[in-house]
Amino acid sequence: MMMENVIQTNDGSQIVYKKFKNGVGYAIYVPPDVNPNTPVFTYVYGSGRKSCWYNGPYDSLIKNGSDSIVIFPSMEWNQDWGKNTMEIVNSVRSEYGIVNNNVSGGGFSYGGDGGYRVVLENLKQQGASNLDPQIVYLIDDYSNMTYKRYNTTLSSDDINYFKENNTIFFTYENKSSPATEAFAKAGLNIIKVKCDNGRHSAIRTDFFKNGIYDYMAGGSLPLEGYTPSRPIVTVDPKTGKQVVTWEEIDISLIATKEKLYNYY
């Protein structure tokens, strides 16, 4: 699918594709009422690359806009997604006078680790304790980093950054994932969200259609179609191994960012 450089949105704004440097590019949406406190949301596509921006992400922004600046980075898989994306974020902050240093990040399928990398880099640059609890969305994650090689990814240094910040991970999926359990065993704040519409591409499409990408900017989670659960981690007295069970959460208790913070 050919990538358009400028797409008009119904709120009078635009989605604009820009080249950055070293083969890195990005698409960006900026709300018409952007102000110094506007938060940033970043999203990494799946193996379909830029074509994954259309069905769901672009459609939702065209129809509904956002109260967040939304950035879609694009680069080769072997490049540093965290540092490159944060360099884009910092340039956008400078351009629009953004003083809100919060970044929520999401990634879909093969790019599922995108939110992990970007939020972690932001914590390193800004200081984990200087920020509100950040939010990472693993959107039906099948990435090499946070799904296939999660044991290597979950280093003690990374875990400490996330713990110091009280970062909260949402994993939208319809599978039993050992990676999700590993996040829980590491002591991280993770909420597993079972999606009623559990088809792979539908999870991505509904994430945007239901406005979840605007959660950090004051949006609300949909009360139907999703079942969130929190982990209960115990130790088996016979084997000494950690065991994870999941306890359903009343979604109304975490429907807004403020309620989520109070819940934790």
Side-chain angles (χ1 to χ4, degrees):
M1 181 179 291
M2 184 175 293
M3 179 72 203
E4 297 180 58
N5 288 329
V6 179
I7 298 174
Q8 301 297 323
T9 57
N10 290 345
D11 60 1
S13 189
Q14 298 175 328
I15 303 168
V16 182
Y17 183 77
K18 301 182 178 184
K19 293 182 179 179
F20 195 56
K21 63 181 185 179
N22 300 328
V24 176
Y26 65 99
I28 183 170
Y29 165 89
V30 179
D33 58 351
V34 61
N35 63 74
N37 289 317
T38 300
V40 174
F41 170 71
T42 68
Y43 171 76
V44 174
Y45 47 57
S47 59
R49 300 181 74 92
K50 293 178 186 175
S51 64
C52 294
W53 291 349
Y54 285 85
N55 189 7
Y58 275 15
D59 295 342
S60 298
L61 284 172
I62 291 168
K63 181 180 179 180
N64 301 316
S66 176
D67 291 323
S68 306
I69 293 173
V70 182
I71 295 173
F72 303 82
S74 174
M75 66 196 81
E76 295 301 319
W77 292 115
N78 61 357
Q79 292 183 268
D80 192 324
W81 284 82
K83 289 183 179 179
N84 286 334
T85 303
M86 275 310 305
E87 193 170 350
I88 294 168
V89 169
N90 289 333
S91 71
V92 171
R93 283 172 172 163
S94 178
E95 180 178 358
Y96 290 96
I98 304 298
V99 297
N100 182 345
N101 289 322
N102 294 318
V103 171
S104 55
F108 168 64
S109 189
Y110 193 79
D113 60 354
Y116 181 104
R117 299 195 204 199
V118 173
V119 169
L120 178 62
E121 183 63 28
N122 191 48
L123 296 180
K124 290 178 178 179
Q125 292 187 14
Q126 301 296 332
S129 62
N130 295 329
L131 299 171
D132 293 337
Q134 305 294 275
I135 299 177
V136 176
Y137 307 94
L138 302 170
I139 307 168
D140 214 20
D141 179 23
Y142 284 98
S143 68
N144 286 333
M145 183 178 177
T146 48
Y147 181 72
K148 296 180 180 178
R149 297 196 292 266
Y150 57 86
N151 283 328
T152 303
T153 298
L154 289 171
S155 70
S156 58
D157 286 346
D158 291 0
I159 290 169
N160 288 338
Y161 275 110
F162 290 129
K163 283 185 174 180
E164 183 181 354
N165 176 254
N166 286 314
T167 302
I168 301 160
F169 293 80
F170 282 83
T171 175
Y172 285 81
E173 59 188 38
N174 197 32
K175 58 183 182 289
S176 179
S177 168
T180 302
E181 290 201 356
F183 276 65
K185 290 176 180 177
L188 298 176
N189 300 322
I190 188 161
I191 296 175
K192 181 171 71 171
V193 185
K194 185 179 183 300
C195 307
D196 287 358
N197 191 351
R199 291 179 294 109
H200 187 51
S201 60
I203 291 174
R204 173 203 64 206
T205 300
D206 290 347
F207 178 88
F208 285 90
K209 184 175 73 174
N210 292 321
I212 298 168
Y213 64 99
D214 232 4
Y215 186 53
M216 197 74 166
S220 297
L221 296 179
L223 299 181
E224 298 181 355
Y226 299 97
T227 304
S229 300
R230 69 184 185 95
I232 306 296
V233 182
T234 58
V235 177
D236 187 319
K238 293 182 179 179
T239 64
K241 293 182 178 181
Q242 290 177 302
V243 178
V244 180
T245 56
W246 295 90
E247 180 179 82
E248 190 172 318
I249 302 171
D250 180 346
I251 200 167
S252 67
L253 297 177
I254 58 171
T256 65
K257 178 186 68 174
E258 289 72 22
K259 288 185 175 182
L260 177 72
Y261 289 172
N262 287 336
Y263 185 82
Y264 276 99

PDB file of all heavy atoms in Angstrom, residues 227-254:
ATOM      1  N   THR A 227     -11.821  -8.282  29.345  1.00  0.00           N
ATOM      2  CA  THR A 227     -11.806  -8.774  30.719  1.00  0.00           C
ATOM      3  C   THR A 227     -10.390  -8.676  31.264  1.00  0.00           C
ATOM      4  O   THR A 227      -9.514  -9.452  30.889  1.00  0.00           O
ATOM      5  CB  THR A 227     -12.275 -10.243  30.786  1.00  0.00           C
ATOM      6  OG1 THR A 227     -13.567 -10.362  30.193  1.00  0.00           O
ATOM      7  CG2 THR A 227     -12.324 -10.708  32.237  1.00  0.00           C
ATOM      8  N   PRO A 228     -10.126  -7.700  32.136  1.00  0.00           N
ATOM      9  CA  PRO A 228      -8.781  -7.565  32.708  1.00  0.00           C
ATOM     10  C   PRO A 228      -8.593  -8.440  33.935  1.00  0.00           C
ATOM     11  O   PRO A 228      -9.538  -8.690  34.686  1.00  0.00           O
ATOM     12  CB  PRO A 228      -8.723  -6.077  33.081  1.00  0.00           C
ATOM     13  CG  PRO A 228     -10.143  -5.720  33.398  1.00  0.00           C
ATOM     14  CD  PRO A 228     -11.023  -6.595  32.538  1.00  0.00           C
ATOM     15  N   SER A 229      -7.370  -8.904  34.126  1.00  0.00           N
ATOM     16  CA  SER A 229      -7.023  -9.705  35.300  1.00  0.00           C
ATOM     17  C   SER A 229      -5.663  -9.275  35.821  1.00  0.00           C
ATOM     18  O   SER A 229      -4.799  -8.841  35.053  1.00  0.00           O
ATOM     19  CB  SER A 229      -6.977 -11.198  34.957  1.00  0.00           C
ATOM     20  OG  SER A 229      -8.225 -11.657  34.492  1.00  0.00           O
ATOM     21  N   ARG A 230      -5.478  -9.430  37.118  1.00  0.00           N
ATOM     22  CA  ARG A 230      -4.185  -9.147  37.725  1.00  0.00           C
ATOM     23  C   ARG A 230      -3.576 -10.448  38.227  1.00  0.00           C
ATOM     24  O   ARG A 230      -4.292 -11.398  38.585  1.00  0.00           O
ATOM     25  CB  ARG A 230      -4.313  -8.141  38.869  1.00  0.00           C
ATOM     26  CG  ARG A 230      -5.034  -8.671  40.092  1.00  0.00           C
ATOM     27  CD  ARG A 230      -5.195  -7.590  41.136  1.00  0.00           C
ATOM     28  NE  ARG A 230      -5.785  -8.102  42.374  1.00  0.00           N
ATOM     29  CZ  ARG A 230      -5.097  -8.492  43.434  1.00  0.00           C
ATOM     30  NH1 ARG A 230      -3.780  -8.457  43.412  1.00  0.00           N
ATOM     31  NH2 ARG A 230      -5.713  -8.925  44.516  1.00  0.00           N
ATOM     32  N   PRO A 231      -2.246 -10.521  38.258  1.00  0.00           N
ATOM     33  CA  PRO A 231      -1.611 -11.771  38.672  1.00  0.00           C
ATOM     34  C   PRO A 231      -1.521 -11.911  40.187  1.00  0.00           C
ATOM     35  O   PRO A 231      -1.300 -10.940  40.905  1.00  0.00           O
ATOM     36  CB  PRO A 231      -0.215 -11.657  38.057  1.00  0.00           C
ATOM     37  CG  PRO A 231       0.060 -10.186  38.052  1.00  0.00           C
ATOM     38  CD  PRO A 231      -1.270  -9.521  37.801  1.00  0.00           C
ATOM     39  N   ILE A 232      -1.676 -13.134  40.641  1.00  0.00           N
ATOM     40  CA  ILE A 232      -1.391 -13.500  42.022  1.00  0.00           C
ATOM     41  C   ILE A 232      -0.219 -14.481  41.969  1.00  0.00           C
ATOM     42  O   ILE A 232      -0.351 -15.571  41.407  1.00  0.00           O
ATOM     43  CB  ILE A 232      -2.595 -14.157  42.713  1.00  0.00           C
ATOM     44  CG1 ILE A 232      -3.843 -13.266  42.601  1.00  0.00           C
ATOM     45  CG2 ILE A 232      -2.270 -14.475  44.163  1.00  0.00           C
ATOM     46  CD1 ILE A 232      -3.727 -11.939  43.310  1.00  0.00           C
ATOM     47  N   VAL A 233       0.921 -14.077  42.496  1.00  0.00           N
ATOM     48  CA  VAL A 233       2.131 -14.890  42.402  1.00  0.00           C
ATOM     49  C   VAL A 233       2.400 -15.530  43.754  1.00  0.00           C
ATOM     50  O   VAL A 233       2.525 -14.838  44.770  1.00  0.00           O
ATOM     51  CB  VAL A 233       3.344 -14.045  41.963  1.00  0.00           C
ATOM     52  CG1 VAL A 233       4.586 -14.929  41.830  1.00  0.00           C
ATOM     53  CG2 VAL A 233       3.054 -13.334  40.641  1.00  0.00           C
ATOM     54  N   THR A 234       2.459 -16.857  43.756  1.00  0.00           N
ATOM     55  CA  THR A 234       2.763 -17.611  44.980  1.00  0.00           C
ATOM     56  C   THR A 234       3.928 -18.550  44.691  1.00  0.00           C
ATOM     57  O   THR A 234       4.374 -18.674  43.559  1.00  0.00           O
ATOM     58  CB  THR A 234       1.534 -18.413  45.457  1.00  0.00           C
ATOM     59  OG1 THR A 234       1.119 -19.301  44.398  1.00  0.00           O
ATOM     60  CG2 THR A 234       0.393 -17.489  45.827  1.00  0.00           C
ATOM     61  N   VAL A 235       4.423 -19.170  45.723  1.00  0.00           N
ATOM     62  CA  VAL A 235       5.522 -20.124  45.585  1.00  0.00           C
ATOM     63  C   VAL A 235       5.023 -21.512  45.977  1.00  0.00           C
ATOM     64  O   VAL A 235       4.467 -21.705  47.061  1.00  0.00           O
ATOM     65  CB  VAL A 235       6.725 -19.722  46.465  1.00  0.00           C
ATOM     66  CG1 VAL A 235       7.833 -20.764  46.360  1.00  0.00           C
ATOM     67  CG2 VAL A 235       7.253 -18.348  46.040  1.00  0.00           C
ATOM     68  N   ASP A 236       5.209 -22.467  45.082  1.00  0.00           N
ATOM     69  CA  ASP A 236       4.840 -23.859  45.363  1.00  0.00           C
ATOM     70  C   ASP A 236       5.775 -24.405  46.440  1.00  0.00           C
ATOM     71  O   ASP A 236       6.993 -24.470  46.234  1.00  0.00           O
ATOM     72  CB  ASP A 236       4.960 -24.685  44.085  1.00  0.00           C
ATOM     73  CG  ASP A 236       4.441 -26.108  44.254  1.00  0.00           C
ATOM     74  OD1 ASP A 236       4.700 -26.720  45.308  1.00  0.00           O
ATOM     75  OD2 ASP A 236       3.807 -26.615  43.319  1.00  0.00           O
ATOM     76  N   PRO A 237       5.262 -24.794  47.598  1.00  0.00           N
ATOM     77  CA  PRO A 237       6.140 -25.244  48.690  1.00  0.00           C
ATOM     78  C   PRO A 237       6.901 -26.526  48.369  1.00  0.00           C
ATOM     79  O   PRO A 237       7.953 -26.783  48.961  1.00  0.00           O
ATOM     80  CB  PRO A 237       5.165 -25.466  49.852  1.00  0.00           C
ATOM     81  CG  PRO A 237       3.830 -25.667  49.204  1.00  0.00           C
ATOM     82  CD  PRO A 237       3.840 -24.828  47.980  1.00  0.00           C
ATOM     83  N   LYS A 238       6.387 -27.307  47.426  1.00  0.00           N
ATOM     84  CA  LYS A 238       7.056 -28.561  47.083  1.00  0.00           C
ATOM     85  C   LYS A 238       8.216 -28.355  46.111  1.00  0.00           C
ATOM     86  O   LYS A 238       9.277 -28.960  46.250  1.00  0.00           O
ATOM     87  CB  LYS A 238       6.048 -29.536  46.482  1.00  0.00           C
ATOM     88  CG  LYS A 238       4.989 -30.008  47.458  1.00  0.00           C
ATOM     89  CD  LYS A 238       4.042 -31.006  46.802  1.00  0.00           C
ATOM     90  CE  LYS A 238       2.996 -31.503  47.794  1.00  0.00           C
ATOM     91  NZ  LYS A 238       2.054 -32.459  47.150  1.00  0.00           N
ATOM     92  N   THR A 239       8.000 -27.481  45.128  1.00  0.00           N
ATOM     93  CA  THR A 239       9.021 -27.287  44.088  1.00  0.00           C
ATOM     94  C   THR A 239       9.833 -26.013  44.287  1.00  0.00           C
ATOM     95  O   THR A 239      10.922 -25.881  43.731  1.00  0.00           O
ATOM     96  CB  THR A 239       8.368 -27.227  42.698  1.00  0.00           C
ATOM     97  OG1 THR A 239       7.517 -26.070  42.619  1.00  0.00           O
ATOM     98  CG2 THR A 239       7.537 -28.477  42.437  1.00  0.00           C
ATOM     99  N   GLY A 240       9.312 -25.072  45.068  1.00  0.00           N
ATOM    100  CA  GLY A 240       9.990 -23.789  45.248  1.00  0.00           C
ATOM    101  C   GLY A 240       9.837 -22.869  44.058  1.00  0.00           C
ATOM    102  O   GLY A 240      10.435 -21.789  44.027  1.00  0.00           O
ATOM    103  N   LYS A 241       9.013 -23.269  43.083  1.00  0.00           N
ATOM    104  CA  LYS A 241       8.832 -22.451  41.877  1.00  0.00           C
ATOM    105  C   LYS A 241       7.646 -21.505  42.046  1.00  0.00           C
ATOM    106  O   LYS A 241       6.672 -21.809  42.756  1.00  0.00           O
ATOM    107  CB  LYS A 241       8.603 -23.352  40.663  1.00  0.00           C
ATOM    108  CG  LYS A 241       9.816 -24.190  40.285  1.00  0.00           C
ATOM    109  CD  LYS A 241       9.538 -25.019  39.031  1.00  0.00           C
ATOM    110  CE  LYS A 241      10.767 -25.824  38.629  1.00  0.00           C
ATOM    111  NZ  LYS A 241      10.530 -26.634  37.400  1.00  0.00           N
ATOM    112  N   GLN A 242       7.748 -20.358  41.372  1.00  0.00           N
ATOM    113  CA  GLN A 242       6.658 -19.397  41.392  1.00  0.00           C
ATOM    114  C   GLN A 242       5.490 -19.912  40.549  1.00  0.00           C
ATOM    115  O   GLN A 242       5.682 -20.488  39.485  1.00  0.00           O
ATOM    116  CB  GLN A 242       7.120 -18.048  40.837  1.00  0.00           C
ATOM    117  CG  GLN A 242       8.090 -17.296  41.732  1.00  0.00           C
ATOM    118  CD  GLN A 242       8.564 -16.013  41.084  1.00  0.00           C
ATOM    119  OE1 GLN A 242       9.134 -16.039  39.993  1.00  0.00           O
ATOM    120  NE2 GLN A 242       8.350 -14.891  41.733  1.00  0.00           N
ATOM    121  N   VAL A 243       4.303 -19.659  41.044  1.00  0.00           N
ATOM    122  CA  VAL A 243       3.083 -20.042  40.344  1.00  0.00           C
ATOM    123  C   VAL A 243       2.221 -18.797  40.184  1.00  0.00           C
ATOM    124  O   VAL A 243       2.037 -18.032  41.141  1.00  0.00           O
ATOM    125  CB  VAL A 243       2.299 -21.121  41.124  1.00  0.00           C
ATOM    126  CG1 VAL A 243       1.002 -21.462  40.400  1.00  0.00           C
ATOM    127  CG2 VAL A 243       3.158 -22.366  41.330  1.00  0.00           C
ATOM    128  N   VAL A 244       1.714 -18.582  38.959  1.00  0.00           N
ATOM    129  CA  VAL A 244       0.902 -17.403  38.683  1.00  0.00           C
ATOM    130  C   VAL A 244      -0.542 -17.823  38.430  1.00  0.00           C
ATOM    131  O   VAL A 244      -0.813 -18.680  37.584  1.00  0.00           O
ATOM    132  CB  VAL A 244       1.430 -16.629  37.456  1.00  0.00           C
ATOM    133  CG1 VAL A 244       0.566 -15.395  37.187  1.00  0.00           C
ATOM    134  CG2 VAL A 244       2.880 -16.223  37.667  1.00  0.00           C
ATOM    135  N   THR A 245      -1.453 -17.250  39.187  1.00  0.00           N
ATOM    136  CA  THR A 245      -2.872 -17.367  38.896  1.00  0.00           C
ATOM    137  C   THR A 245      -3.407 -15.960  38.624  1.00  0.00           C
ATOM    138  O   THR A 245      -2.787 -14.966  39.017  1.00  0.00           O
ATOM    139  CB  THR A 245      -3.645 -18.011  40.058  1.00  0.00           C
ATOM    140  OG1 THR A 245      -3.408 -17.243  41.261  1.00  0.00           O
ATOM    141  CG2 THR A 245      -3.171 -19.435  40.290  1.00  0.00           C
ATOM    142  N   TRP A 246      -4.548 -15.882  37.957  1.00  0.00           N
ATOM    143  CA  TRP A 246      -5.066 -14.581  37.534  1.00  0.00           C
ATOM    144  C   TRP A 246      -6.420 -14.321  38.172  1.00  0.00           C
ATOM    145  O   TRP A 246      -7.300 -15.173  38.176  1.00  0.00           O
ATOM    146  CB  TRP A 246      -5.158 -14.525  36.009  1.00  0.00           C
ATOM    147  CG  TRP A 246      -3.801 -14.614  35.372  1.00  0.00           C
ATOM    148  CD1 TRP A 246      -3.143 -15.747  34.996  1.00  0.00           C
ATOM    149  CD2 TRP A 246      -2.922 -13.528  35.095  1.00  0.00           C
ATOM    150  NE1 TRP A 246      -1.907 -15.436  34.485  1.00  0.00           N
ATOM    151  CE2 TRP A 246      -1.734 -14.087  34.530  1.00  0.00           C
ATOM    152  CE3 TRP A 246      -2.998 -12.142  35.249  1.00  0.00           C
ATOM    153  CZ2 TRP A 246      -0.652 -13.296  34.128  1.00  0.00           C
ATOM    154  CZ3 TRP A 246      -1.923 -11.357  34.853  1.00  0.00           C
ATOM    155  CH2 TRP A 246      -0.774 -11.933  34.298  1.00  0.00           C
ATOM    156  N   GLU A 247      -6.556 -13.134  38.723  1.00  0.00           N
ATOM    157  CA  GLU A 247      -7.780 -12.718  39.403  1.00  0.00           C
ATOM    158  C   GLU A 247      -8.437 -11.598  38.601  1.00  0.00           C
ATOM    159  O   GLU A 247      -7.812 -10.573  38.320  1.00  0.00           O
ATOM    160  CB  GLU A 247      -7.445 -12.221  40.810  1.00  0.00           C
ATOM    161  CG  GLU A 247      -8.638 -11.765  41.610  1.00  0.00           C
ATOM    162  CD  GLU A 247      -8.225 -11.302  42.992  1.00  0.00           C
ATOM    163  OE1 GLU A 247      -7.781 -10.134  43.118  1.00  0.00           O
ATOM    164  OE2 GLU A 247      -8.320 -12.103  43.933  1.00  0.00           O
ATOM    165  N   GLU A 248      -9.678 -11.804  38.229  1.00  0.00           N
ATOM    166  CA  GLU A 248     -10.371 -10.819  37.390  1.00  0.00           C
ATOM    167  C   GLU A 248     -10.525  -9.483  38.119  1.00  0.00           C
ATOM    168  O   GLU A 248     -10.779  -9.444  39.333  1.00  0.00           O
ATOM    169  CB  GLU A 248     -11.748 -11.366  36.999  1.00  0.00           C
ATOM    170  CG  GLU A 248     -12.456 -10.532  35.948  1.00  0.00           C
ATOM    171  CD  GLU A 248     -13.724 -11.208  35.438  1.00  0.00           C
ATOM    172  OE1 GLU A 248     -13.693 -12.439  35.212  1.00  0.00           O
ATOM    173  OE2 GLU A 248     -14.742 -10.495  35.269  1.00  0.00           O
ATOM    174  N   ILE A 249     -10.362  -8.399  37.362  1.00  0.00           N
ATOM    175  CA  ILE A 249     -10.520  -7.042  37.880  1.00  0.00           C
ATOM    176  C   ILE A 249     -11.827  -6.466  37.331  1.00  0.00           C
ATOM    177  O   ILE A 249     -12.117  -6.601  36.140  1.00  0.00           O
ATOM    178  CB  ILE A 249      -9.360  -6.123  37.439  1.00  0.00           C
ATOM    179  CG1 ILE A 249      -8.011  -6.675  37.909  1.00  0.00           C
ATOM    180  CG2 ILE A 249      -9.565  -4.703  37.945  1.00  0.00           C
ATOM    181  CD1 ILE A 249      -6.828  -5.919  37.315  1.00  0.00           C
ATOM    182  N   ASP A 250     -12.599  -5.822  38.176  1.00  0.00           N
ATOM    183  CA  ASP A 250     -13.745  -5.047  37.703  1.00  0.00           C
ATOM    184  C   ASP A 250     -13.198  -3.878  36.892  1.00  0.00           C
ATOM    185  O   ASP A 250     -12.513  -2.999  37.427  1.00  0.00           O
ATOM    186  CB  ASP A 250     -14.551  -4.546  38.904  1.00  0.00           C
ATOM    187  CG  ASP A 250     -15.775  -3.729  38.491  1.00  0.00           C
ATOM    188  OD1 ASP A 250     -15.876  -3.327  37.318  1.00  0.00           O
ATOM    189  OD2 ASP A 250     -16.631  -3.480  39.373  1.00  0.00           O
ATOM    190  N   ILE A 251     -13.485  -3.873  35.595  1.00  0.00           N
ATOM    191  CA  ILE A 251     -12.843  -2.903  34.716  1.00  0.00           C
ATOM    192  C   ILE A 251     -13.195  -1.466  35.082  1.00  0.00           C
ATOM    193  O   ILE A 251     -12.438  -0.533  34.802  1.00  0.00           O
ATOM    194  CB  ILE A 251     -13.181  -3.202  33.231  1.00  0.00           C
ATOM    195  CG1 ILE A 251     -12.150  -2.530  32.308  1.00  0.00           C
ATOM    196  CG2 ILE A 251     -14.600  -2.788  32.882  1.00  0.00           C
ATOM    197  CD1 ILE A 251     -12.204  -3.013  30.869  1.00  0.00           C
ATOM    198  N   SER A 252     -14.330  -1.271  35.750  1.00  0.00           N
ATOM    199  CA  SER A 252     -14.702   0.091  36.160  1.00  0.00           C
ATOM    200  C   SER A 252     -13.716   0.664  37.173  1.00  0.00           C
ATOM    201  O   SER A 252     -13.595   1.882  37.312  1.00  0.00           O
ATOM    202  CB  SER A 252     -16.116   0.117  36.731  1.00  0.00           C
ATOM    203  OG  SER A 252     -16.192  -0.604  37.957  1.00  0.00           O
ATOM    204  N   LEU A 253     -12.994  -0.230  37.872  1.00  0.00           N
ATOM    205  CA  LEU A 253     -12.027   0.233  38.870  1.00  0.00           C
ATOM    206  C   LEU A 253     -10.762   0.817  38.245  1.00  0.00           C
ATOM    207  O   LEU A 253      -9.993   1.493  38.923  1.00  0.00           O
ATOM    208  CB  LEU A 253     -11.648  -0.920  39.801  1.00  0.00           C
ATOM    209  CG  LEU A 253     -12.775  -1.512  40.639  1.00  0.00           C
ATOM    210  CD1 LEU A 253     -12.258  -2.691  41.459  1.00  0.00           C
ATOM    211  CD2 LEU A 253     -13.378  -0.443  41.555  1.00  0.00           C
ATOM    212  N   ILE A 254     -10.547   0.526  36.964  1.00  0.00           N
ATOM    213  CA  ILE A 254      -9.346   1.034  36.281  1.00  0.00           C
ATOM    214  C   ILE A 254      -9.725   1.770  35.002  1.00  0.00           C
ATOM    215  O   ILE A 254      -8.909   1.932  34.093  1.00  0.00           O
ATOM    216  CB  ILE A 254      -8.361  -0.108  35.959  1.00  0.00           C
ATOM    217  CG1 ILE A 254      -9.025  -1.187  35.094  1.00  0.00           C
ATOM    218  CG2 ILE A 254      -7.815  -0.728  37.251  1.00  0.00           C
ATOM    219  CD1 ILE A 254      -8.053  -2.225  34.559  1.00  0.00           C
TER     220      ILE A 254
END
